[in-house]
Amino acid sequence: MSSHQVASTPEKEVAVRWGDGVTSTSPKSPQSAPKTRNYRAYSMNHLTTSFENLFKISTPKVREILSRSNSFEELNELLRSSGAADDLDELGDRSRLWSMMSDFLETDVATIQRKLSDHVEYTLARDRSSFDEFACYQATALSIRDRLIEFWNDTNFRFAEENPKRVYYLSIEYLMGRSLNNALLNLNIKDNYARALKGFGYLLEDLFDQESDAGLGNGGLGRLAACYLDSLATQNYAAWGYGIRYTYGMFRQEIFLGWQAEVPDRWLAFGNPWEITRVDVKLPVRFGGEVSSFIVDGVPEYSWEGGETVLALAHDTPVPGFNTPNTINLRLWSSEPSNEFDLQSFNEGNYSEAVARRQSAENISSVLYPSDSKSEGKELRLKQQYFFVSATLQDVIRRFKKRNSDFNTFPDKVAIQLNDTHPTISIAELIRLLVDVEKLDWETACSITKRTFAYTNHTVLPEALERWAVPLFQKLLPRHLQIIFDINARFLKEVAVRFPGDEAVLSRLSIIEESHPKQIRMANLAIVMSHSVNGVAAIHSDILQKSLFKEFNEMYPGKFLNITNGITQRRWLLGCNPRLTELIANTLGTDGFLTNLDILEQLRAHANNRKLQEQWLDVKLANKKVLAEYLQKHLSITVDPHSFFDIQVKRIHEYKRQLLNILRVIYLWQDLRAKSLAKQLDDVLPRVVIFAGKAAPSYHRAKLIIKLINSVAERVNNDRSINGLLKVVFIPNYSVSLAEIIVPASDISQHISTAGMEASGTSNMKFALNGTLPQSLVGFPQPDAWGLFSCFQQDARCGE
């Protein structure tokens, strides 16, 4: 299942793709970018039309001028002869710049080596004696980023010219994983980079471990967001992702005496070579203050003033599509103080007070999901959510106004997708910007907002359906509280008409929960003010429509729909399992499944091919050896790669039932001990049970489960009576890069969450795509790939 389905709008024209004339290359051939850019075929068409109109000359003549290497000089002569240029010096400078930027960087080995050495010496300021493996990684990343920027700039230029409808994906997390291998594969230059680095005495594979996983996400929510960006880029959509650039991510998990310990994830300690910091893009974000109202020409207007203002600084990361020049953007915001340093306090000796404002502002983008067990943590979480959506909407409106003047066309140019409830405050923020800043009337602003937003619900768990205390909202976002109360008052009138006299329904659907203190139900706000609400799997969507949001579904027929989550096969097959990718491509005679997974259906015709089955299992064994080497190197645990690898890797939570799994392991251990006494161990298949996942810092029961797993592992792994036939491993600090080692090596994966509580569980798709069998799929979407790949798993090698 690819994550190409875009939930942002039901219309077909979600966004404009690259037009005709952009040549696509085969993934099997070297990247064949044109030598001269001229901003590609789309810009050629645009310039041709422009110069036809300006100079009244024929299309062939224009194309002849534009296609030659001296085209910019001829354009200058054409301008001079026509008298169309008022400022030839300025135009000449601009033409010269365009001319110098008209070529792509070559991708041959010699050019790559030249660029690598340039970055080592001029960017990193390293000399030849200090060119170590980490410097090699940095130079490699920077040189690849140079090539990404070429496509990225051209993509942005094209969409700025075409002014299409754009998709903006708002997510509190992005679990991107490492970028080096992904970028090389999507740009199709991995082989040449491997040869170039080998010429310098380095292996490309050794550089992968020099890169830190970006600390921007935690689980399936963030990984889904990352897969969406990859698929949007690959399918040539005009799309941007927006989020927060966390300084320390969530946390780095370490295990001490069997217990989880959280330490800062210093993923930015040595910088991030993939990002571009936009020092020219800083947007103000206000908290607190007061709201005043007044009448202008008989219309009430509002002014939000005072309080604390911080700045949102933009950091951009190019996201390349696979086998396409389309390269979209992930813009992340970091927080800064509006007044960086209090010199007066410093001069008076109040040194801590002098930098207190900076520390307070920077806290907003420091950590993903700060603990909300105390009021300070709740306040920081709300600040984070508003901080990133306020900066994002200011940025979106600024971009819209560059090419459009009528806000009635805003929904025709902008689609905003809310990835769960975290960005829902953006609804009130857009209304505030439209009413208070752009001076639109309330009805128009609400209509625009409803046609712009779409909401993806990810869970039915009560704690994940966010609620915010009204007093906290009043303290931090007083204007938004007014707007939400106004939305709710109008909405409840509609409810009263639809369900006359039913106070219970009125209470359940109200955006404001009448508790003590009153609470704002963010999921209800998202449903009321979005044109589309989707679940992420058939069973999940069914629960939303028939149970959790039953009355909402009755009020808004057709608003609720299902869009099953997916994964990107570029990372979860080509990237993490190249051996299996090659085997499938050779078997089918095509690698088209890297953009169209339906092609894998053709494997059914080969299900009984004994040679293919043996090759398939050889690939699995090779991947298991890689994981076994990792366990030995990092945990000093020795496992036999011929053992049966039984894996459960998920966020640690009671509903995901790691507790049930470890109880099963205890039963297996006791059974082996009994068989040992009876001398019946000869026919037992060795098994390695692997756990990985993080527990939320304040989730004590989840931490107890981790402790239990490690305690059981200590007993089982040191029990000589079972002859090493059962090993238990907990791998700390689960991440995308770790999953890329674990998933291809798995024989069976445990998907045993409580039925109905796992929204989509996309990890099952990753395992299925890598030829793994599932253990219990009750309550899960069941990808057809389970049956497709199961025929290649043989009992004699890895079955139960």
Side-chain angles (χ1 to χ4, degrees):
M1 170 66 68
S2 172
S3 63
H4 66 274
Q5 291 175 288
V6 180
S8 47
T9 178
E11 294 92 357
K12 290 184 179 180
E13 66 278 8
V14 173
V16 173
R17 307 185 186 202
W18 284 83
D20 295 335
V22 180
T23 302
S24 177
T25 61
S26 168
K28 291 187 176 180
S29 63
Q31 182 72 28
S32 54
K35 302 297 184 189
T36 57
R37 291 160 76 187
N38 287 329
Y39 292 96
R40 312 248 200 335
Y42 64 81
S43 186
M44 178 72 78
N45 294 335
H46 177 74
L47 289 174
T48 298
T49 302
S50 299
F51 280 97
E52 283 176 357
N53 295 334
L54 182 61
F55 304 118
K56 308 302 182 186
I57 58 178
S58 65
T59 296
K61 178 62 176 175
V62 173
R63 290 191 176 275
E64 179 185 355
I65 293 173
L66 291 176
S67 63
R68 291 203 296 267
S69 60
N70 61 344
S71 60
F72 290 99
E73 287 74 8
E74 292 205 21
L75 286 176
N76 280 334
E77 291 300 321
L78 190 59
L79 287 166
R80 288 189 178 91
S81 64
S82 69
D86 296 327
D87 190 341
L88 290 178
D89 291 336
E90 179 183 349
L91 183 61
D93 290 343
R94 184 176 301 173
S95 298
R96 189 173 299 111
L97 174 64
W98 275 52
S99 178
M100 295 176 70
M101 293 175 65
S102 65
D103 295 335
F104 283 101
L105 290 170
E106 300 285 351
T107 58
D108 62 281
V109 172
T111 301
I112 291 172
Q113 290 178 329
R114 178 71 264 170
K115 291 300 180 181
L116 287 172
S117 64
D118 285 348
H119 277 298
V120 169
E121 184 166 10
Y122 302 121
T123 308
L124 304 177
R126 298 271 197 129
D127 59 32
R128 283 164 286 186
S129 64
S130 61
F131 183 47
D132 57 17
E133 197 168 78
F134 182 66
C136 188
Y137 157 70
Q138 289 181 304
T140 301
L142 290 166
S143 69
I144 295 169
R145 192 189 73 168
D146 291 343
R147 289 159 173 80
L148 287 174
I149 288 175
E150 291 180 333
F151 287 120
W152 183 56
N153 280 337
D154 289 359
T155 299
N156 289 334
F157 181 89
R158 185 269 170 122
F159 288 131
E161 290 294 302
E162 296 294 332
N163 190 27
K165 184 172 188 176
R166 298 174 185 251
V167 176
Y168 296 104
Y169 197 80
L170 275 57
S171 180
I172 200 74
E173 352 174 353
Y174 288 91
L175 202 57
M176 301 298 291
R178 294 171 175 171
S179 297
L180 178 56
N181 190 43
N182 186 69
L184 287 169
L185 290 172
N186 280 13
L187 293 175
N188 202 24
I189 52 177
K190 186 174 182 178
D191 290 344
N192 280 3
Y193 261 85
R195 287 194 287 270
L197 289 165
K198 189 173 182 180
F200 284 168
Y202 290 96
L203 293 178
L204 174 61
E205 289 74 14
D206 292 341
L207 301 187
F208 294 153
D209 286 338
Q210 296 295 321
E211 180 178 0
S212 298
D213 279 54
L216 302 172
N218 174 40
L221 185 77
R223 189 53 235 166
L224 175 73
C227 285
Y228 262 122
L229 293 187
D230 178 274
S231 290
L232 286 165
T234 297
Q235 298 207 27
N236 298 319
Y237 282 99
W240 279 42
Y242 279 98
I244 299 177
R245 181 183 182 265
Y246 302 103
T247 306
Y248 299 109
M250 189 174 180
F251 60 83
R252 179 176 179 81
Q253 181 193 54
E254 296 184 0
I255 302 297
F256 293 104
L257 301 177
W259 292 93
Q260 171 180 292
E262 302 94 32
V263 298
D265 178 10
R266 302 182 183 277
W267 73 283
L268 290 171
F270 299 100
N272 179 9
W274 302 100
E275 71 179 7
I276 300 97
T277 299
R278 296 296 199 184
V279 294
D280 56 325
V281 182
K282 291 185 178 182
L283 300 173
V285 179
R286 185 185 306 276
F287 299 102
E290 297 179 347
V291 180
S292 57
S293 61
F294 43 91
I295 303 297
V296 177
D297 297 330
V299 178
E301 293 193 2
Y302 300 87
S303 176
W304 182 25
E305 298 174 343
E308 171 195 11
T309 301
V310 301
L311 296 178
L313 171 64
H315 305 264
D316 290 346
T317 300
V319 179
F322 178 77
N323 192 29
T324 174
N326 195 52
T327 301
I328 62 175
N329 192 42
L330 172 60
R331 173 160 287 182
L332 304 173
W333 303 103
S334 65
S335 52
E336 294 185 347
S338 56
N339 185 6
E340 183 168 322
F341 185 74
D342 189 343
L343 183 60
Q344 181 177 347
S345 294
F346 187 87
N347 289 335
E348 292 174 354
N350 299 322
Y351 304 127
S352 297
E353 184 179 334
V355 296
R357 185 170 297 177
R358 164 169 281 279
Q359 293 173 341
S360 175
E362 290 179 346
N363 284 342
I364 295 174
S365 58
S366 289
V367 177
L368 168 65
Y369 298 139
S371 175
D372 59 355
S373 58
K374 297 183 179 180
S375 59
E376 294 83 358
K378 290 183 172 66
E379 181 173 323
L380 182 55
R381 282 202 182 194
L382 182 56
K383 276 189 170 184
Q384 283 185 333
Q385 293 180 12
Y386 178 66
F387 165 78
F388 109 79
V389 303
S390 175
T392 295
L393 287 175
Q394 291 179 64
D395 201 36
V396 169
I397 289 175
R398 175 189 59 81
R399 190 172 301 111
F400 170 81
K401 291 171 70 173
K402 280 185 176 181
R403 296 298 304 273
N404 307 275
S405 58
D406 183 3
F407 269 98
N408 287 306
T409 66
F410 192 79
D412 299 323
K413 296 297 182 181
V414 174
I416 299 177
Q417 184 68 39
L418 304 177
N419 191 27
D420 216 358
T421 54
H422 310 103
T424 301
I425 188 59
S426 57
I427 289 171
E429 174 68 356
L430 180 57
I431 292 177
R432 183 190 73 83
L433 291 170
L434 294 178
V435 172
D436 296 357
V437 179
E438 303 300 336
K439 305 304 179 184
L440 274 64
D441 63 83
W442 175 270
E443 287 72 19
T444 300
C446 284
S447 174
I448 290 171
T449 300
K450 286 182 179 181
R451 290 182 290 135
T452 298
F453 282 99
Y455 163 52
T456 297
N457 174 278
H458 280 271
T459 183
V460 298
L461 295 177
E463 64 266 26
L465 295 174
E466 285 191 314
R467 291 170 169 81
W468 292 108
V470 166
L472 178 59
F473 242 82
Q474 179 64 48
K475 175 184 177 182
L476 294 180
L477 305 169
R479 178 62 180 129
H480 300 77
L481 184 61
Q482 291 179 345
I483 291 170
I484 291 172
F485 271 113
D486 285 345
I487 292 172
N488 194 48
R490 288 166 168 80
F491 169 65
L492 290 182
K493 291 180 181 179
E494 297 178 25
V495 177
V497 172
R498 178 63 180 79
F499 301 98
D502 197 331
E503 295 294 328
V505 171
L506 204 66
S507 176
R508 285 196 297 271
L509 299 192
S510 175
I511 296 170
I512 307 300
E513 180 183 290
E514 298 297 331
S515 54
H516 301 284
K518 292 182 178 181
Q519 303 281 328
I520 301 173
R521 297 164 169 160
M522 302 307 285
N524 290 23
L525 175 62
I527 293 169
V528 172
M529 294 301 294
S530 298
H531 65 75
S532 171
V533 179
N534 73 280
V536 291
I539 187 172
H540 172 236
S541 298
D542 196 55
I543 291 172
L544 296 184
Q545 296 177 43
K546 295 181 180 179
S547 177
L548 189 63
F549 300 129
K550 180 176 180 292
E551 290 92 356
F552 277 116
N553 189 43
E554 293 174 8
M555 277 202 67
Y556 301 119
K559 176 179 281 194
F560 286 80
L561 64 152
N562 175 63
I563 299 181
T564 300
N565 278 351
I567 60 173
T568 166
Q569 61 269 43
R570 272 76 62 184
R571 182 176 290 272
W572 295 111
L573 185 58
L574 175 64
C576 74
N577 204 342
R579 297 179 183 91
L580 184 58
T581 304
E582 182 179 5
L583 177 61
I584 294 173
N586 290 339
T587 301
L588 300 182
T590 178
D591 59 3
F593 56 86
L594 294 175
T595 53
N596 181 8
L597 275 180
D598 290 342
I599 292 175
L600 291 180
E601 289 282 350
Q602 298 173 21
L603 280 174
R604 292 187 183 279
H606 305 272
N608 298 318
N609 184 328
R610 188 66 183 178
K611 180 180 178 182
L612 174 59
Q613 291 173 353
E614 289 299 321
Q615 291 174 318
W616 190 284
L617 293 171
D618 288 341
V619 166
K620 178 67 70 175
L621 180 60
N623 292 329
K624 291 165 75 171
K625 288 179 179 179
V626 173
L627 177 55
E629 290 171 3
Y630 178 92
L631 297 179
Q632 180 63 53
K633 177 180 179 181
H634 295 277
L635 301 179
S636 299
I637 297 176
T638 301
V639 301
D640 181 0
H642 293 89
S643 300
F644 185 78
F645 280 22
D646 182 342
I647 292 174
Q648 186 180 23
V649 287
K650 289 178 178 290
R651 177 169 55 93
I652 309 298
H653 198 288
E654 288 167 280
Y655 88 83
K656 292 181 183 290
R657 301 204 290 192
Q658 286 94 349
L659 178 58
L660 177 64
N661 195 11
I662 194 61
L663 292 176
R664 175 187 66 103
V665 171
I666 294 172
Y667 169 80
L668 292 174
W669 173 47
Q670 293 296 328
D671 184 58
L672 284 175
R673 286 172 61 86
K675 289 181 178 178
S676 175
L677 291 173
K679 302 186 183 303
Q680 297 175 348
L681 294 179
D682 292 344
D683 296 328
V684 174
L685 181 71
R687 180 189 298 262
V688 180
V689 182
I690 297 175
F691 295 85
K694 296 180 180 180
S698 59
Y699 194 175
H700 183 62
R701 287 189 180 180
K703 289 185 171 182
L704 279 173
I705 293 172
I706 293 175
K707 170 59 177 172
L708 177 60
I709 292 170
N710 284 298
S711 296
V712 171
E714 185 177 4
R715 289 292 302 274
V716 170
N717 296 346
N718 291 289
D719 187 347
R720 295 182 180 180
S721 71
I722 62 174
N723 297 339
L725 291 174
L726 178 64
K727 292 286 184 75
V728 182
V729 181
F730 185 91
I731 306 178
N733 205 44
Y734 185 55
S735 61
V736 174
S737 56
L738 193 51
E740 290 171 355
I741 300 173
I742 295 173
V743 170
S746 61
D747 290 314
I748 191 170
S749 57
Q750 300 291 337
H751 300 281
I752 54 176
S753 298
T754 305
M757 299 188 72
E758 188 79 81
S760 66
T762 50
S763 67
N764 62 13
M765 301 177 188
K766 302 178 182 75
F767 284 98
L769 195 58
N770 284 270
T772 301
L773 298 177
Q775 175 72 37
S776 177
L777 283 175
V778 177
F780 277 82
Q782 301 189 32
D784 200 36
W786 291 121
L788 181 62
F789 290 140
S790 64
C791 58
F792 299 112
Q793 297 283 25
Q794 300 301 301
D795 291 347
R797 291 283 293 275
C798 61
E800 285 191 288

